[in-house]
Amino acid sequence: IGFDACIMSGLETYYELSSYTSYFVGSQINEPGMGWNYQRSMARLVAAPTLSADSLSCYIAGDYVDSYTLPVAPYPVQEVTASVIDASELADVVLDLNALADEMTVQMGARHNYYQYCREMCQSYYGDFVDLMDWAWWVSDYAPNSLVRQYAYDLYYSALDAVVFSSYNDAEGGMDITWTLGLNLYYPETSGYYDTAYGSALLLTLGTHYDNMLVDYYEKTATANDPIEIDYGLPATGPNVTSAVSPPVFASQACCF
């Protein structure tokens, strides 16, 4: 399933449709009005009608980004992202997200300021979405609880398994998308952006406690309960805090054709 539309490469959307396809192609940010380069991508299929689904998906995503990066006439240079997601891996991603959300909720009262720091520092888009892998990396490195860090680490790697291909053009004049790694997650910056229907509208939220974690997070961050100060850009410090092992982060992944 391909989405030639804005901000569609999200865990919620893909998990909802994961039983209907093997791969997803989509963008984590707004798309230019001209959309995908169908002429270039479909020419590949015409030339090789037996292309596998994953190879064709990677070509579509790569051709789209290349068209706005090189650029390929008549497409102008624009800020774009595209990724290919393996639908069969999403159940594991959701399981790991649920485990992380549960443990973050347990620790929320005393540790919410660490979570707020991670939300503020990770790759995000338009106030509503975070890059799932980059957010998981920040939590795995900065959360003061070893179990939370481990669950975040697990989430990072299950998402890494799901991302077959990810690419972007961080064009001058746009927002910084350096840590765009392939898959979004709904995580509004503040409670004012949070849609209360989110918890009852989707398979992901009906089957996990992630939405409960968000609600608890907004309630706790609205208070003055900040027992530990965090200096921006520095590792978390405080009682019983140890440094987590940082997982490697890749700006893009190669796709085998």
Side-chain angles (χ1 to χ4, degrees):
I1 296 177
F3 292 96
D4 187 3
C6 301
I7 326 175
M8 294 305 294
S9 185
L11 181 60
E12 295 87 352
T13 300
Y14 289 174
Y15 185 61
E16 195 84 15
L17 300 173
S18 59
S19 63
Y20 298 99
T21 189
S22 296
Y23 298 96
F24 293 101
V25 184
S27 169
Q28 291 179 256
I29 65 173
N30 288 330
E31 286 195 359
M34 293 182 70
W36 292 357
N37 189 337
Y38 290 95
Q39 183 174 10
R40 192 175 191 184
S41 299
M42 293 303 101
R44 299 183 188 277
L45 184 59
V46 171
T50 59
L51 270 177
S52 63
D54 58 335
S55 293
L56 178 59
S57 297
C58 290
Y59 277 130
I60 291 171
D63 288 339
Y64 166 64
V65 173
D66 285 350
S67 295
Y68 293 94
T69 304
L70 298 174
V72 176
Y75 299 87
V77 173
Q78 290 279 336
E79 185 171 73
V80 292
T81 75
S83 58
V84 178
I85 305 299
D86 185 340
S88 69
E89 299 286 350
L90 293 179
D92 288 341
V93 176
V94 171
L95 284 174
D96 288 338
L97 176 63
N98 189 45
L100 174 60
D102 277 344
E103 193 59 32
M104 286 178 67
T105 301
V106 170
Q107 304 287 334
M108 190 68 71
R111 308 302 189 191
H112 62 84
N113 55 328
Y114 286 96
Y115 306 152
Q116 186 172 16
Y117 176 78
C118 295
R119 172 60 182 82
E120 292 172 353
M121 296 299 290
C122 75
Q123 180 70 63
S124 61
Y125 315 95
Y126 314 116
D128 284 333
F129 304 97
V130 297
D131 182 277
L132 187 150
M133 287 171 62
D134 194 48
W135 170 67
W137 180 86
W138 279 96
V139 177
S140 75
D141 208 40
Y142 281 82
N145 177 270
S146 61
L147 196 54
V148 171
R149 293 200 305 273
Q150 183 60 57
Y151 286 146
Y153 188 86
D154 292 343
L155 176 60
Y156 177 95
Y157 275 101
S158 61
L160 183 63
D161 288 340
V163 179
V164 178
F165 173 88
S166 180
S167 183
Y168 62 83
N169 181 36
D170 195 4
E172 185 177 354
M175 60 182 170
D176 183 4
I177 56 172
T178 304
W179 297 107
T180 293
L181 302 174
L183 190 61
N184 284 351
L185 179 68
Y186 184 65
Y187 192 159
E189 187 174 6
T190 66
S191 60
Y193 290 103
Y194 179 70
D195 186 342
T196 56
Y198 177 72
S200 60
L202 301 166
L203 288 177
L204 184 143
T205 52
L206 291 173
T208 71
H209 300 132
Y210 175 66
D211 57 306
N212 301 108
M213 186 279 288
L214 288 181
V215 171
D216 196 29
Y217 168 80
Y218 296 129
E219 289 178 353
K220 296 300 191 300
T221 54
T223 72
N225 179 24
D226 292 315
I228 301 172
E229 293 293 329
I230 300 176
D231 293 325
Y232 277 80
L234 299 176
T237 57
N240 303 314
V241 176
T242 57
S243 178
V245 177
S246 303
V249 179
F250 307 97
S252 65
Q253 291 183 250
C255 187
C256 297
F257 302 121

